[in-house]
Structure formats: structure tokens, C-alpha cells
PDB file of all heavy atoms in Angstrom:
ATOM      1  N   GLN O   1       0.812  -1.243   0.023  1.00  0.00           N
ATOM      2  CA  GLN O   1      -0.017   0.049   0.019  1.00  0.00           C
ATOM      3  C   GLN O   1       0.920   1.137  -0.011  1.00  0.00           C
ATOM      4  O   GLN O   1       0.570   2.287  -0.701  1.00  0.00           O
ATOM      5  CB  GLN O   1      -0.923   0.032   1.156  1.00  0.00           C
ATOM      6  CG  GLN O   1      -1.843   1.233   1.158  1.00  0.00           C
ATOM      7  CD  GLN O   1      -2.664   1.286   2.458  1.00  0.00           C
ATOM      8  OE1 GLN O   1      -2.300   0.918   3.461  1.00  0.00           O
ATOM      9  NE2 GLN O   1      -3.810   2.022   2.357  1.00  0.00           N
ATOM     10  N   ASN O   2       2.009   1.239   0.767  1.00  0.00           N
ATOM     11  CA  ASN O   2       2.822   2.417   0.762  1.00  0.00           C
ATOM     12  C   ASN O   2       3.486   2.648  -0.502  1.00  0.00           C
ATOM     13  O   ASN O   2       3.538   3.932  -0.883  1.00  0.00           O
ATOM     14  CB  ASN O   2       3.990   2.348   1.864  1.00  0.00           C
ATOM     15  CG  ASN O   2       3.275   2.369   3.265  1.00  0.00           C
ATOM     16  OD1 ASN O   2       2.358   2.968   3.545  1.00  0.00           O
ATOM     17  ND2 ASN O   2       3.911   1.626   4.190  1.00  0.00           N
ATOM     18  N   ILE O   3       3.832   1.647  -1.248  1.00  0.00           N
ATOM     19  CA  ILE O   3       4.479   1.815  -2.636  1.00  0.00           C
ATOM     20  C   ILE O   3       3.415   2.449  -3.480  1.00  0.00           C
ATOM     21  O   ILE O   3       3.609   3.527  -4.180  1.00  0.00           O
ATOM     22  CB  ILE O   3       4.992   0.482  -3.150  1.00  0.00           C
ATOM     23  CG1 ILE O   3       6.126   0.110  -2.310  1.00  0.00           C
ATOM     24  CG2 ILE O   3       5.473   0.737  -4.638  1.00  0.00           C
ATOM     25  CD1 ILE O   3       7.291   1.010  -2.020  1.00  0.00           C
ATOM     26  N   PHE O   4       2.207   1.737  -3.560  1.00  0.00           N
ATOM     27  CA  PHE O   4       1.067   2.291  -4.363  1.00  0.00           C
ATOM     28  C   PHE O   4       0.704   3.683  -4.042  1.00  0.00           C
ATOM     29  O   PHE O   4       0.572   4.511  -4.962  1.00  0.00           O
ATOM     30  CB  PHE O   4      -0.110   1.391  -4.194  1.00  0.00           C
ATOM     31  CG  PHE O   4       0.055  -0.012  -4.828  1.00  0.00           C
ATOM     32  CD1 PHE O   4      -0.978  -0.846  -4.517  1.00  0.00           C
ATOM     33  CD2 PHE O   4       1.047  -0.293  -5.606  1.00  0.00           C
ATOM     34  CE1 PHE O   4      -0.820  -2.206  -5.091  1.00  0.00           C
ATOM     35  CE2 PHE O   4       1.133  -1.595  -6.173  1.00  0.00           C
ATOM     36  CZ  PHE O   4       0.238  -2.573  -5.911  1.00  0.00           C
ATOM     37  N   ASN O   5       0.626   4.084  -2.764  1.00  0.00           N
ATOM     38  CA  ASN O   5       0.367   5.412  -2.327  1.00  0.00           C
ATOM     39  C   ASN O   5       1.284   6.315  -2.823  1.00  0.00           C
ATOM     40  O   ASN O   5       0.997   7.467  -3.231  1.00  0.00           O
ATOM     41  CB  ASN O   5       0.206   5.415  -0.728  1.00  0.00           C
ATOM     42  CG  ASN O   5      -0.892   4.705  -0.204  1.00  0.00           C
ATOM     43  OD1 ASN O   5      -1.759   4.223  -0.990  1.00  0.00           O
ATOM     44  ND2 ASN O   5      -0.998   4.670   1.045  1.00  0.00           N
ATOM     45  N   SER O   6       2.690   6.051  -2.731  1.00  0.00           N
ATOM     46  CA  SER O   6       3.702   7.050  -3.233  1.00  0.00           C
ATOM     47  C   SER O   6       3.606   7.154  -4.687  1.00  0.00           C
ATOM     48  O   SER O   6       3.778   8.266  -5.058  1.00  0.00           O
ATOM     49  CB  SER O   6       5.025   6.504  -2.790  1.00  0.00           C
ATOM     50  OG  SER O   6       5.515   5.355  -3.533  1.00  0.00           O
ATOM     51  N   LYS O   7       3.220   6.115  -5.443  1.00  0.00           N
ATOM     52  CA  LYS O   7       3.083   6.370  -6.922  1.00  0.00           C
ATOM     53  C   LYS O   7       1.825   7.200  -7.209  1.00  0.00           C
ATOM     54  O   LYS O   7       1.858   8.044  -8.126  1.00  0.00           O
ATOM     55  CB  LYS O   7       2.953   5.009  -7.641  1.00  0.00           C
ATOM     56  CG  LYS O   7       4.305   4.148  -7.417  1.00  0.00           C
ATOM     57  CD  LYS O   7       5.312   4.853  -8.116  1.00  0.00           C
ATOM     58  CE  LYS O   7       6.582   4.008  -8.009  1.00  0.00           C
ATOM     59  NZ  LYS O   7       7.831   4.823  -8.471  1.00  0.00           N
ATOM     60  N   VAL O   8       0.799   6.925  -6.561  1.00  0.00           N
ATOM     61  CA  VAL O   8      -0.426   7.765  -6.668  1.00  0.00           C
ATOM     62  C   VAL O   8      -0.177   9.327  -6.388  1.00  0.00           C
ATOM     63  O   VAL O   8      -0.439  10.168  -7.083  1.00  0.00           O
ATOM     64  CB  VAL O   8      -1.708   7.329  -5.850  1.00  0.00           C
ATOM     65  CG1 VAL O   8      -2.858   8.342  -5.841  1.00  0.00           C
ATOM     66  CG2 VAL O   8      -2.114   5.949  -6.358  1.00  0.00           C
ATOM     67  N   ASN O   9       0.630   9.478  -5.165  1.00  0.00           N
ATOM     68  CA  ASN O   9       1.030  10.793  -4.778  1.00  0.00           C
ATOM     69  C   ASN O   9       1.872  11.491  -5.878  1.00  0.00           C
ATOM     70  O   ASN O   9       1.722  12.809  -5.995  1.00  0.00           O
ATOM     71  CB  ASN O   9       1.742  10.750  -3.471  1.00  0.00           C
ATOM     72  CG  ASN O   9       2.190  12.089  -2.969  1.00  0.00           C
ATOM     73  OD1 ASN O   9       1.172  13.006  -2.715  1.00  0.00           O
ATOM     74  ND2 ASN O   9       3.430  12.335  -2.669  1.00  0.00           N
ATOM     75  N   GLU O  10       2.684  10.824  -6.529  1.00  0.00           N
ATOM     76  CA  GLU O  10       3.488  11.436  -7.568  1.00  0.00           C
ATOM     77  C   GLU O  10       2.530  12.055  -8.673  1.00  0.00           C
ATOM     78  O   GLU O  10       2.961  13.018  -9.365  1.00  0.00           O
ATOM     79  CB  GLU O  10       4.483  10.472  -8.220  1.00  0.00           C
ATOM     80  CG  GLU O  10       5.543   9.939  -7.403  1.00  0.00           C
ATOM     81  CD  GLU O  10       6.354   8.791  -8.056  1.00  0.00           C
ATOM     82  OE1 GLU O  10       6.040   8.524  -9.088  1.00  0.00           O
ATOM     83  OE2 GLU O  10       7.231   8.320  -7.317  1.00  0.00           O
ATOM     84  N   LYS O  11       1.353  11.474  -8.948  1.00  0.00           N
ATOM     85  CA  LYS O  11       0.525  11.883  -9.998  1.00  0.00           C
ATOM     86  C   LYS O  11      -0.417  13.002  -9.588  1.00  0.00           C
ATOM     87  O   LYS O  11      -0.858  13.876 -10.329  1.00  0.00           O
ATOM     88  CB  LYS O  11      -0.274  10.751 -10.600  1.00  0.00           C
ATOM     89  CG  LYS O  11       0.690   9.708 -11.160  1.00  0.00           C
ATOM     90  CD  LYS O  11       1.484   9.981 -12.220  1.00  0.00           C
ATOM     91  CE  LYS O  11       2.433   8.919 -12.866  1.00  0.00           C
ATOM     92  NZ  LYS O  11       3.404   9.337 -13.825  1.00  0.00           N
ATOM     93  N   VAL O  12      -0.999  12.802  -8.211  1.00  0.00           N
ATOM     94  CA  VAL O  12      -2.151  13.752  -7.901  1.00  0.00           C
ATOM     95  C   VAL O  12      -1.994  14.453  -6.659  1.00  0.00           C
ATOM     96  O   VAL O  12      -2.803  15.243  -6.359  1.00  0.00           O
ATOM     97  CB  VAL O  12      -3.449  12.829  -7.797  1.00  0.00           C
ATOM     98  CG1 VAL O  12      -3.832  12.113  -9.178  1.00  0.00           C
ATOM     99  CG2 VAL O  12      -3.321  11.782  -6.685  1.00  0.00           C
ATOM    100  N   GLY O  13      -0.944  14.298  -5.872  1.00  0.00           N
ATOM    101  CA  GLY O  13      -0.829  15.028  -4.651  1.00  0.00           C
ATOM    102  C   GLY O  13      -1.238  14.268  -3.346  1.00  0.00           C
ATOM    103  O   GLY O  13      -1.876  13.272  -3.421  1.00  0.00           O
ATOM    104  N   SER O  14      -0.871  14.785  -2.193  1.00  0.00           N
ATOM    105  CA  SER O  14      -1.022  14.166  -1.008  1.00  0.00           C
ATOM    106  C   SER O  14      -2.402  14.002  -0.507  1.00  0.00           C
ATOM    107  O   SER O  14      -2.766  12.875  -0.219  1.00  0.00           O
ATOM    108  CB  SER O  14      -0.170  14.913   0.043  1.00  0.00           C
ATOM    109  OG  SER O  14      -0.283  14.237   1.262  1.00  0.00           O
ATOM    110  N   TRP O  15      -3.213  15.074  -0.568  1.00  0.00           N
ATOM    111  CA  TRP O  15      -4.617  15.078  -0.053  1.00  0.00           C
ATOM    112  C   TRP O  15      -5.504  14.298  -1.019  1.00  0.00           C
ATOM    113  O   TRP O  15      -6.291  13.437  -0.586  1.00  0.00           O
ATOM    114  CB  TRP O  15      -5.133  16.389   0.251  1.00  0.00           C
ATOM    115  CG  TRP O  15      -4.355  16.927   1.465  1.00  0.00           C
ATOM    116  CD1 TRP O  15      -3.449  17.967   1.371  1.00  0.00           C
ATOM    117  CD2 TRP O  15      -4.433  16.487   2.725  1.00  0.00           C
ATOM    118  NE1 TRP O  15      -3.007  18.204   2.653  1.00  0.00           N
ATOM    119  CE2 TRP O  15      -3.648  17.305   3.511  1.00  0.00           C
ATOM    120  CE3 TRP O  15      -5.212  15.321   3.407  1.00  0.00           C
ATOM    121  CZ2 TRP O  15      -3.379  17.013   4.926  1.00  0.00           C
ATOM    122  CZ3 TRP O  15      -4.985  15.158   4.700  1.00  0.00           C
ATOM    123  CH2 TRP O  15      -4.043  16.009   5.439  1.00  0.00           C
ATOM    124  N   SER O  16      -5.232  14.256  -2.361  1.00  0.00           N
ATOM    125  CA  SER O  16      -5.865  13.478  -3.152  1.00  0.00           C
ATOM    126  C   SER O  16      -5.576  12.008  -3.058  1.00  0.00           C
ATOM    127  O   SER O  16      -6.452  11.179  -2.991  1.00  0.00           O
ATOM    128  CB  SER O  16      -5.605  13.816  -4.776  1.00  0.00           C
ATOM    129  OG  SER O  16      -5.897  15.147  -5.042  1.00  0.00           O
ATOM    130  N   THR O  17      -4.311  11.701  -2.794  1.00  0.00           N
ATOM    131  CA  THR O  17      -4.015  10.356  -2.457  1.00  0.00           C
ATOM    132  C   THR O  17      -4.665   9.830  -1.160  1.00  0.00           C
ATOM    133  O   THR O  17      -5.151   8.752  -1.174  1.00  0.00           O
ATOM    134  CB  THR O  17      -2.413  10.191  -2.270  1.00  0.00           C
ATOM    135  OG1 THR O  17      -1.815  10.543  -3.498  1.00  0.00           O
ATOM    136  CG2 THR O  17      -2.024   8.767  -1.942  1.00  0.00           C
ATOM    137  N   THR O  18      -4.599  10.676  -0.113  1.00  0.00           N
ATOM    138  CA  THR O  18      -5.261  10.253   1.096  1.00  0.00           C
ATOM    139  C   THR O  18      -6.736   9.978   0.923  1.00  0.00           C
ATOM    140  O   THR O  18      -7.323   8.983   1.402  1.00  0.00           O
ATOM    141  CB  THR O  18      -5.016  11.279   2.224  1.00  0.00           C
ATOM    142  OG1 THR O  18      -3.600  11.475   2.335  1.00  0.00           O
ATOM    143  CG2 THR O  18      -5.585  10.872   3.493  1.00  0.00           C
ATOM    144  N   THR O  19      -7.388  10.771   0.217  1.00  0.00           N
ATOM    145  CA  THR O  19      -8.814  10.731  -0.046  1.00  0.00           C
ATOM    146  C   THR O  19      -9.186   9.533  -0.845  1.00  0.00           C
ATOM    147  O   THR O  19     -10.061   8.675  -0.570  1.00  0.00           O
ATOM    148  CB  THR O  19      -9.371  11.942  -0.743  1.00  0.00           C
ATOM    149  OG1 THR O  19      -9.037  13.193   0.016  1.00  0.00           O
ATOM    150  CG2 THR O  19     -10.918  11.846  -1.117  1.00  0.00           C
ATOM    151  N   PHE O  20      -8.383   9.211  -1.947  1.00  0.00           N
ATOM    152  CA  PHE O  20      -8.431   8.173  -2.776  1.00  0.00           C
ATOM    153  C   PHE O  20      -8.323   6.764  -1.983  1.00  0.00           C
ATOM    154  O   PHE O  20      -9.115   5.899  -2.096  1.00  0.00           O
ATOM    155  CB  PHE O  20      -7.511   8.247  -3.908  1.00  0.00           C
ATOM    156  CG  PHE O  20      -7.570   7.048  -4.885  1.00  0.00           C
ATOM    157  CD1 PHE O  20      -8.557   6.845  -5.853  1.00  0.00           C
ATOM    158  CD2 PHE O  20      -6.572   6.214  -4.990  1.00  0.00           C
ATOM    159  CE1 PHE O  20      -8.571   5.872  -6.783  1.00  0.00           C
ATOM    160  CE2 PHE O  20      -6.490   5.147  -5.798  1.00  0.00           C
ATOM    161  CZ  PHE O  20      -7.540   4.911  -6.621  1.00  0.00           C
ATOM    162  N   VAL O  21      -7.208   6.700  -1.317  1.00  0.00           N
ATOM    163  CA  VAL O  21      -6.979   5.469  -0.570  1.00  0.00           C
ATOM    164  C   VAL O  21      -7.925   5.226   0.623  1.00  0.00           C
ATOM    165  O   VAL O  21      -8.526   4.087   0.679  1.00  0.00           O
ATOM    166  CB  VAL O  21      -5.506   5.658   0.100  1.00  0.00           C
ATOM    167  CG1 VAL O  21      -5.329   4.627   1.141  1.00  0.00           C
ATOM    168  CG2 VAL O  21      -4.464   5.617  -0.939  1.00  0.00           C
ATOM    169  N   LEU O  22      -8.352   6.159   1.391  1.00  0.00           N
ATOM    170  CA  LEU O  22      -9.285   5.888   2.391  1.00  0.00           C
ATOM    171  C   LEU O  22     -10.728   5.800   1.977  1.00  0.00           C
ATOM    172  O   LEU O  22     -11.545   5.098   2.383  1.00  0.00           O
ATOM    173  CB  LEU O  22      -9.150   7.033   3.441  1.00  0.00           C
ATOM    174  CG  LEU O  22      -7.836   7.118   4.214  1.00  0.00           C
ATOM    175  CD1 LEU O  22      -7.791   8.346   5.220  1.00  0.00           C
ATOM    176  CD2 LEU O  22      -7.629   5.963   4.971  1.00  0.00           C
ATOM    177  N   GLY O  23     -11.006   6.446   0.750  1.00  0.00           N
ATOM    178  CA  GLY O  23     -12.291   6.305   0.134  1.00  0.00           C
ATOM    179  C   GLY O  23     -12.460   4.882  -0.389  1.00  0.00           C
ATOM    180  O   GLY O  23     -13.508   4.263  -0.110  1.00  0.00           O
ATOM    181  N   LEU O  24     -11.510   4.332  -1.164  1.00  0.00           N
ATOM    182  CA  LEU O  24     -11.535   3.026  -1.608  1.00  0.00           C
ATOM    183  C   LEU O  24     -11.673   2.014  -0.413  1.00  0.00           C
ATOM    184  O   LEU O  24     -12.298   1.004  -0.527  1.00  0.00           O
ATOM    185  CB  LEU O  24     -10.454   2.552  -2.549  1.00  0.00           C
ATOM    186  CG  LEU O  24     -10.517   3.277  -3.944  1.00  0.00           C
ATOM    187  CD1 LEU O  24      -9.191   2.970  -4.677  1.00  0.00           C
ATOM    188  CD2 LEU O  24     -11.650   2.730  -4.658  1.00  0.00           C
ATOM    189  N   GLY O  25     -10.899   2.287   0.554  1.00  0.00           N
ATOM    190  CA  GLY O  25     -10.855   1.479   1.861  1.00  0.00           C
ATOM    191  C   GLY O  25     -12.210   1.425   2.403  1.00  0.00           C
ATOM    192  O   GLY O  25     -12.774   0.480   2.968  1.00  0.00           O
ATOM    193  N   PHE O  26     -12.912   2.547   2.454  1.00  0.00           N
ATOM    194  CA  PHE O  26     -14.228   2.702   2.990  1.00  0.00           C
ATOM    195  C   PHE O  26     -15.200   1.828   2.242  1.00  0.00           C
ATOM    196  O   PHE O  26     -15.871   1.045   2.718  1.00  0.00           O
ATOM    197  CB  PHE O  26     -14.782   4.174   3.042  1.00  0.00           C
ATOM    198  CG  PHE O  26     -16.206   4.290   3.300  1.00  0.00           C
ATOM    199  CD1 PHE O  26     -16.704   4.134   4.651  1.00  0.00           C
ATOM    200  CD2 PHE O  26     -17.115   4.474   2.301  1.00  0.00           C
ATOM    201  CE1 PHE O  26     -18.042   4.185   4.879  1.00  0.00           C
ATOM    202  CE2 PHE O  26     -18.483   4.669   2.446  1.00  0.00           C
ATOM    203  CZ  PHE O  26     -18.860   4.514   3.812  1.00  0.00           C
ATOM    204  N   LEU O  27     -15.130   1.900   0.939  1.00  0.00           N
ATOM    205  CA  LEU O  27     -16.013   1.121   0.068  1.00  0.00           C
ATOM    206  C   LEU O  27     -15.802  -0.365   0.184  1.00  0.00           C
ATOM    207  O   LEU O  27     -16.775  -1.082   0.284  1.00  0.00           O
ATOM    208  CB  LEU O  27     -15.999   1.623  -1.375  1.00  0.00           C
ATOM    209  CG  LEU O  27     -16.367   2.958  -1.737  1.00  0.00           C
ATOM    210  CD1 LEU O  27     -16.037   3.369  -3.182  1.00  0.00           C
ATOM    211  CD2 LEU O  27     -17.871   3.058  -1.555  1.00  0.00           C
ATOM    212  N   ALA O  28     -14.529  -0.699   0.215  1.00  0.00           N
ATOM    213  CA  ALA O  28     -14.191  -2.172   0.331  1.00  0.00           C
ATOM    214  C   ALA O  28     -14.662  -2.615   1.735  1.00  0.00           C
ATOM    215  O   ALA O  28     -15.262  -3.773   1.827  1.00  0.00           O
ATOM    216  CB  ALA O  28     -12.587  -2.319   0.037  1.00  0.00           C
ATOM    217  N   SER O  29     -14.393  -1.921   2.823  1.00  0.00           N
ATOM    218  CA  SER O  29     -14.805  -2.337   4.126  1.00  0.00           C
ATOM    219  C   SER O  29     -16.309  -2.445   4.333  1.00  0.00           C
ATOM    220  O   SER O  29     -16.871  -3.382   4.906  1.00  0.00           O
ATOM    221  CB  SER O  29     -14.247  -1.310   5.166  1.00  0.00           C
ATOM    222  OG  SER O  29     -12.893  -1.277   5.203  1.00  0.00           O
ATOM    223  N   LEU O  30     -17.011  -1.434   3.668  1.00  0.00           N
ATOM    224  CA  LEU O  30     -18.530  -1.438   3.733  1.00  0.00           C
ATOM    225  C   LEU O  30     -18.994  -2.678   3.031  1.00  0.00           C
ATOM    226  O   LEU O  30     -19.876  -3.451   3.390  1.00  0.00           O
ATOM    227  CB  LEU O  30     -18.986  -0.061   2.998  1.00  0.00           C
ATOM    228  CG  LEU O  30     -20.514   0.011   3.012  1.00  0.00           C
ATOM    229  CD1 LEU O  30     -21.046   0.034   4.454  1.00  0.00           C
ATOM    230  CD2 LEU O  30     -20.919   1.186   2.332  1.00  0.00           C
ATOM    231  N   THR O  31     -18.515  -2.941   1.824  1.00  0.00           N
ATOM    232  CA  THR O  31     -18.949  -4.084   1.002  1.00  0.00           C
ATOM    233  C   THR O  31     -18.691  -5.457   1.821  1.00  0.00           C
ATOM    234  O   THR O  31     -19.542  -6.192   1.861  1.00  0.00           O
ATOM    235  CB  THR O  31     -18.226  -4.118  -0.428  1.00  0.00           C
ATOM    236  OG1 THR O  31     -18.497  -2.825  -0.938  1.00  0.00           O
ATOM    237  CG2 THR O  31     -18.723  -5.310  -1.190  1.00  0.00           C
ATOM    238  N   MET O  32     -17.497  -5.660   2.201  1.00  0.00           N
ATOM    239  CA  MET O  32     -17.138  -6.820   2.950  1.00  0.00           C
ATOM    240  C   MET O  32     -17.910  -7.059   4.265  1.00  0.00           C
ATOM    241  O   MET O  32     -18.219  -8.008   4.640  1.00  0.00           O
ATOM    242  CB  MET O  32     -15.587  -6.899   3.307  1.00  0.00           C
ATOM    243  CG  MET O  32     -14.772  -6.828   1.963  1.00  0.00           C
ATOM    244  SD  MET O  32     -15.035  -8.126   0.869  1.00  0.00           S
ATOM    245  CE  MET O  32     -14.192  -9.488   1.650  1.00  0.00           C
ATOM    246  N   GLY O  33     -18.094  -5.867   4.987  1.00  0.00           N
ATOM    247  CA  GLY O  33     -18.766  -5.925   6.240  1.00  0.00           C
ATOM    248  C   GLY O  33     -20.292  -6.294   5.981  1.00  0.00           C
ATOM    249  O   GLY O  33     -20.766  -7.129   6.728  1.00  0.00           O
ATOM    250  N   VAL O  34     -20.919  -5.772   5.010  1.00  0.00           N
ATOM    251  CA  VAL O  34     -22.279  -6.109   4.711  1.00  0.00           C
ATOM    252  C   VAL O  34     -22.302  -7.532   4.268  1.00  0.00           C
ATOM    253  O   VAL O  34     -23.266  -8.326   4.688  1.00  0.00           O
ATOM    254  CB  VAL O  34     -22.876  -5.146   3.618  1.00  0.00           C
ATOM    255  CG1 VAL O  34     -24.332  -5.657   3.127  1.00  0.00           C
ATOM    256  CG2 VAL O  34     -23.064  -3.708   4.331  1.00  0.00           C
ATOM    257  N   LEU O  35     -21.372  -7.963   3.349  1.00  0.00           N
ATOM    258  CA  LEU O  35     -21.394  -9.397   2.915  1.00  0.00           C
ATOM    259  C   LEU O  35     -21.320 -10.419   4.031  1.00  0.00           C
ATOM    260  O   LEU O  35     -21.948 -11.354   4.064  1.00  0.00           O
ATOM    261  CB  LEU O  35     -20.409  -9.631   1.907  1.00  0.00           C
ATOM    262  CG  LEU O  35     -20.712  -8.984   0.515  1.00  0.00           C
ATOM    263  CD1 LEU O  35     -19.372  -9.126  -0.419  1.00  0.00           C
ATOM    264  CD2 LEU O  35     -21.881  -9.716  -0.169  1.00  0.00           C
ATOM    265  N   PHE O  36     -20.283 -10.203   4.917  1.00  0.00           N
ATOM    266  CA  PHE O  36     -19.966 -11.042   5.926  1.00  0.00           C
ATOM    267  C   PHE O  36     -20.659 -10.982   7.216  1.00  0.00           C
ATOM    268  O   PHE O  36     -20.876 -11.966   7.974  1.00  0.00           O
ATOM    269  CB  PHE O  36     -18.441 -11.077   6.118  1.00  0.00           C
ATOM    270  CG  PHE O  36     -17.594 -11.659   5.037  1.00  0.00           C
ATOM    271  CD1 PHE O  36     -16.839 -10.800   4.345  1.00  0.00           C
ATOM    272  CD2 PHE O  36     -17.537 -12.938   4.883  1.00  0.00           C
ATOM    273  CE1 PHE O  36     -16.150 -11.395   3.226  1.00  0.00           C
ATOM    274  CE2 PHE O  36     -16.835 -13.596   3.794  1.00  0.00           C
ATOM    275  CZ  PHE O  36     -15.955 -12.655   2.971  1.00  0.00           C
ATOM    276  N   GLU O  37     -21.200  -9.776   7.596  1.00  0.00           N
ATOM    277  CA  GLU O  37     -21.795  -9.542   8.922  1.00  0.00           C
ATOM    278  C   GLU O  37     -23.341  -9.297   8.741  1.00  0.00           C
ATOM    279  O   GLU O  37     -24.041  -9.235   9.714  1.00  0.00           O
ATOM    280  CB  GLU O  37     -21.120  -8.529   9.676  1.00  0.00           C
ATOM    281  CG  GLU O  37     -19.649  -8.941  10.107  1.00  0.00           C
ATOM    282  CD  GLU O  37     -18.909  -7.879  10.823  1.00  0.00           C
ATOM    283  OE1 GLU O  37     -19.559  -6.938  11.374  1.00  0.00           O
ATOM    284  OE2 GLU O  37     -17.665  -7.924  11.063  1.00  0.00           O
ATOM    285  N   GLY O  38     -23.763  -8.882   7.627  1.00  0.00           N
ATOM    286  CA  GLY O  38     -25.090  -8.504   7.402  1.00  0.00           C
ATOM    287  C   GLY O  38     -25.500  -7.351   8.196  1.00  0.00           C
ATOM    288  O   GLY O  38     -24.726  -6.383   8.392  1.00  0.00           O
ATOM    289  N   LYS O  39     -26.686  -7.387   8.770  1.00  0.00           N
ATOM    290  CA  LYS O  39     -27.194  -6.250   9.635  1.00  0.00           C
ATOM    291  C   LYS O  39     -26.367  -6.052  10.926  1.00  0.00           C
ATOM    292  O   LYS O  39     -26.281  -4.929  11.445  1.00  0.00           O
ATOM    293  CB  LYS O  39     -28.656  -6.637  10.247  1.00  0.00           C
ATOM    294  CG  LYS O  39     -29.550  -6.508   8.935  1.00  0.00           C
ATOM    295  CD  LYS O  39     -31.022  -6.809   9.413  1.00  0.00           C
ATOM    296  CE  LYS O  39     -31.957  -6.842   8.347  1.00  0.00           C
ATOM    297  NZ  LYS O  39     -33.350  -7.082   8.658  1.00  0.00           N
ATOM    298  N   ARG O  40     -25.649  -6.992  11.375  1.00  0.00           N
ATOM    299  CA  ARG O  40     -24.813  -6.858  12.549  1.00  0.00           C
ATOM    300  C   ARG O  40     -23.728  -5.746  12.302  1.00  0.00           C
ATOM    301  O   ARG O  40     -23.163  -5.137  13.240  1.00  0.00           O
ATOM    302  CB  ARG O  40     -24.062  -8.157  12.863  1.00  0.00           C
ATOM    303  CG  ARG O  40     -24.927  -9.183  13.623  1.00  0.00           C
ATOM    304  CD  ARG O  40     -23.923 -10.250  14.032  1.00  0.00           C
ATOM    305  NE  ARG O  40     -22.811 -10.366  13.096  1.00  0.00           N
ATOM    306  CZ  ARG O  40     -21.931 -11.400  13.096  1.00  0.00           C
ATOM    307  NH1 ARG O  40     -22.138 -12.363  13.893  1.00  0.00           N
ATOM    308  NH2 ARG O  40     -20.902 -11.335  12.227  1.00  0.00           N
TER     309      ARG O  40
END
């Protein structure tokens, strides 16, 4: 992740990288959480 983040940062900047990384993490976590835990 750190290598990928540094490569993204080279193209779009630090705050865009942070937003992109944490946004994708949010979507992935939300999807996996709903799939594996349901309403819980």
C-alpha cells in the first residue's frame, strides 16, 4: 500500500492520495462488512 500510495502521490498530490486510498478502503470495508456480517 505504501508503494502504491507513493506512486499515486506522484501523480495527484498528498490529499488526493489520502482521499482516494481511504475512500476505496471505506467502500471495500463497507462491502465486505455487509457481505460477511449483514445487519450486525
Side-chain angles (χ1 to χ4, degrees):
Q1 182 187 27
N2 290 327
I3 299 299
F4 290 168
N5 291 355
S6 68
K7 295 300 182 186
V8 172
N9 184 54
E10 290 173 8
K11 303 293 183 191
V12 298
S14 180
W15 289 111
S16 296
T17 299
T18 302
T19 303
F20 178 72
V21 167
L22 294 177
L24 284 176
F26 169 76
L27 292 175
S29 296
L30 179 64
T31 302
M32 299 303 278
V34 169
L35 285 174
F36 288 106
E37 295 181 15
K39 290 181 182 178
R40 284 186 336 193

